Amino acid sequence: MFQILPVQDKEKQKALCRTCGVPFRPDELAYEATSEGKLVGMSQFYLSEEGGVITDFAAAPDADDREVLFVLGRGTMNFIDLCDVHTAFFDAPYPDESLIRQIGFRKNDEGRYTIDLTDFFNHPCQHDCQGK
């Protein structure tokens, strides 16, 4: 079983960042992804007038669970949407472009990964999960 949970404690967030090899951003929000109690990955993000911005998205060392990372990305997007922010950007230096696209982001005209979250999480799902 896997879990995607918000990180409430900044010391824990700092430790997760260290483990996943990303800079600790104390002013940002974070989610952690675990499977069977083992860390799989984490995200850091913030909300702004322009939209929600994912600054870090990283797998833990020796953790390569694409399904859990996919849900981590979607969970982060869902939180952004629930905050009534309906545009999100993926600015994290994540190497797997196919996963970024599968999560739902597309490059805009400036080459920045973005998504319009308006009605994205309404049923039925508004997204092509094949990452096309």
Side-chain angles (χ1 to χ4, degrees), residues 14 19 51 58 62:
K14 187 176 188 177
T19 299
D62 302 321

Side-chain angles (χ1 to χ4, degrees), residues 44-107:
Q44 290 187 108
F45 61 100
Y46 65 90
L47 305 174
S48 71
E49 288 185 19
E50 115 180 284
V53 181
I54 299 172
T55 56
D56 296 290
F57 188 86
D62 302 321
D64 187 25
D65 192 326
R66 191 177 174 89
E67 179 181 344
V68 175
L69 291 172
F70 171 83
V71 177
L72 172 64
R74 287 288 177 95
T76 303
M77 289 168 38
N78 188 53
F79 180 84
I80 292 167
D81 186 54
L82 288 172
C83 290
D84 210 24
V85 175
H86 302 295
T87 300
F89 300 94
F90 191 99
D91 289 347
Y94 190 71
D96 186 350
E97 182 176 353
S98 68
L99 180 59
I100 297 168
R101 293 180 61 76
Q102 186 179 21
I103 291 168
F105 290 93
R106 301 291 181 267
K107 286 189 177 180

Side-chain angles (χ1 to χ4, degrees), residues 9-50:
D9 178 85
K10 290 299 174 181
E11 287 303 313
K12 182 175 184 176
Q13 182 176 341
K14 187 176 188 177
L16 291 169
C17 290
R18 190 175 320 112
T19 299
C20 292
V22 298
F24 171 53
R25 302 178 198 279
D27 295 331
E28 294 188 12
L29 302 165
Y31 270 90
E32 70 173 316
T34 60
S35 180
E36 305 299 326
K38 181 181 174 192
L39 180 65
V40 174
M42 69 164 305
S43 65
Q44 290 187 108
F45 61 100
Y46 65 90
L47 305 174
S48 71
E49 288 185 19
E50 115 180 284

Side-chain angles (χ1 to χ4, degrees), residues 113-131:
Y113 285 107
T114 187
I115 187 168
D116 178 357
L117 296 172
T118 306
D119 296 326
F120 185 84
F121 291 101
N122 289 349
H123 184 76
C125 180
Q126 301 298 309
H127 176 65
D128 168 17
C129 294
Q130 300 303 311

